[in-house]
C-alpha cells in the first residue's frame, strides 16, 4: 500500500483554517472544495491517457485525452463535501455512493446504503472519505468495491490517522491513499487528534 501525503503551501493554509474550531460551516464547505481540488489533482496524476488528433484553429495536432473510466464513490455523508471538486476536475466521472455509519459505542461501521456503477473491473475507482480514523469504514467500502470487480481503488482523505492507514494496509493492501495530513493518532473515543472534529457536523452545521 502506498501513502501519499500531499504537500503544498496553499494546502497547509487551508488545513489551518479547517482545523480552527471558529471556522463557520459556510467557510468550511468552501475550504473543503478547495482542499479536495488539490487532493483530486494529485490522486489523478497518473491516470492513463491516449493520443488523439484534433484540429486547432491553425492546424492538426496530436493531443492526449484520458483513456480510463473513472468512478468516484463518496462515503455518506461527509464524503459528499469532496464530490463536487472531483466532478469539476474530471467531468466524465461516474458516481456511486456508500452509506456507512459508525456506532459511537463500538466505533464499528455498518453499511446502510450502497449504490455503485456496475462492471468496475476496468475503472479507476476513487473512494472519497475526508477522515481515515480507525480505517474500518474505509476497509469495508474498499472491500465492497472489490467485490464488484474493482481492481484499482484509491482513497482520497483530508486527514488520516496511523491506525487507519495500518488497518487498511492489512485488509486492502493494494489501496493507494492520498491525504493532506497524517495526524498523531486516535483518542479514547476513536477521533483523530489533533484532527478536525466531526467533519460531517462541521460541514453541514449539525
Amino acid at each position: 500500500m502506498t501513502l501519499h501525503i500531499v504537500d503544498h503551501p496553499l494546502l497547509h493554509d487551508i488545513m489551518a483554517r479547517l482545523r480552527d474550531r471558529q471556522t463557520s460551516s459556510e467557510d468550511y464547505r468552501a475550504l473543503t472544495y478547495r482542499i479536495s481540488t488539490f487532493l483530486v489533482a494529485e490522486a489523478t496524476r497518473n491516470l492513463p491517457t491516449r493520443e488523439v488528433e484534433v484540429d486547432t484553429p491553425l492546424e492538426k495536432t496530436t493531443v492526449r485525452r484520458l483513456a480510463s473510466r473513472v468512478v468516484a464513490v463518496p462515503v455518506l455523508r461527509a464524503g459528499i463535501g469532496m464530490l463536487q471538486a472531483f466532478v469539476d476536475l474530471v467531468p466524465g466521472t461516474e458516481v456511486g455512493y456508500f452509506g456507512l455509519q459508525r456506532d459511537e459505542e463500538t466505533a464499528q461501521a455498518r453499511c446502510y446504503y450502497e449504490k455503485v456503477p456496475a462492471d468496475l473491473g476496468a475503472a479507476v475507482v476513487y473512494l472519497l472519505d475526508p477522515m481515515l480514523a480507525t480505517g474500518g469504514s474505509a476497509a469495508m467500502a474498499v472491500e465492497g468495491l472489490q467485490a464488484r470487480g474493482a481492481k484499482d481503488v484509491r482513497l482520497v482523505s483530508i486527514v488520516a490517522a496511523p491506525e487507519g492507514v495500518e488497518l487498511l494496509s492489512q485488509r486492502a493492501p493494494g489501496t493507494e491513499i492520498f491525504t493532506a495530513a497524517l495526524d498523531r493518532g486516535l483518542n479514547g473515543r476513536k477521533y483523530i487528534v489533533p484532527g478536525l472534529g466531526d467533519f460531517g457536523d462541521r460541514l453541514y452545521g449539525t
Side-chain angles (χ1 to χ4, degrees):
M1 190 196 69
T2 305
L3 173 65
H4 306 270
I5 302 175
V6 183
D7 187 24
H8 192 284
L10 296 179
L11 187 149
H12 293 313
D13 186 72
I14 297 168
M15 277 296 302
R17 296 171 64 188
L18 285 172
R19 291 192 191 275
D20 188 344
R21 66 185 303 169
Q22 300 301 323
T23 300
S24 69
S25 291
E26 180 181 4
D27 289 340
Y28 208 85
R29 288 189 287 271
L31 292 165
T32 296
Y33 178 91
R34 288 173 56 196
I35 200 167
S36 298
T37 301
F38 275 96
L39 294 171
V40 170
E42 188 64 27
T44 55
R45 179 185 292 275
N46 65 348
L47 281 175
T49 59
R50 70 181 190 280
E51 290 188 349
V52 298
E53 193 174 75
V54 299
D55 289 316
T56 78
L58 300 177
E59 63 181 28
K60 289 184 181 295
T61 190
T62 300
V63 296
R64 304 192 70 83
R65 299 291 305 271
L66 287 179
S68 61
R69 179 181 171 213
V70 177
V71 177
V73 182
V75 174
L76 303 177
R77 66 182 165 148
I80 293 293
M82 305 177 70
L83 179 61
Q84 191 62 53
F86 200 107
V87 297
D88 283 350
L89 280 178
V90 192
T93 298
E94 299 172 45
V95 179
Y97 298 93
F98 266 107
L100 300 174
Q101 186 172 21
R102 187 175 78 163
D103 186 298
E104 293 300 324
E105 296 296 326
T106 66
Q108 300 298 310
R110 68 174 184 87
C111 182
Y112 64 87
Y113 181 78
E114 181 181 328
K115 183 71 172 179
V116 297
D119 304 321
L120 296 176
V124 182
V125 183
Y126 291 88
L127 185 66
L128 309 179
D129 192 357
M131 306 291 281
L132 177 60
T134 66
S137 296
M140 180 181 292
V142 171
E143 290 165 351
L145 293 167
Q146 291 174 337
R148 284 147 188 80
K151 297 179 175 63
D152 187 347
V153 181
R154 307 174 188 187
L155 172 65
V156 184
S157 288
I158 293 174
V159 176
E163 295 91 333
V165 173
E166 176 62 24
L167 181 70
L168 199 58
S169 72
Q170 295 173 6
R171 289 180 51 180
T175 306
E176 287 190 82
I177 301 172
F178 296 83
T179 187
L182 182 66
D183 275 12
R184 186 171 72 248
L186 302 178
N187 66 12
R189 298 178 59 201
K190 305 299 183 184
Y191 278 89
I192 300 174
V193 288
L196 304 170
D198 187 301
F199 197 93
D201 284 352
R202 298 194 67 192
L203 190 68
Y204 297 116
T206 54

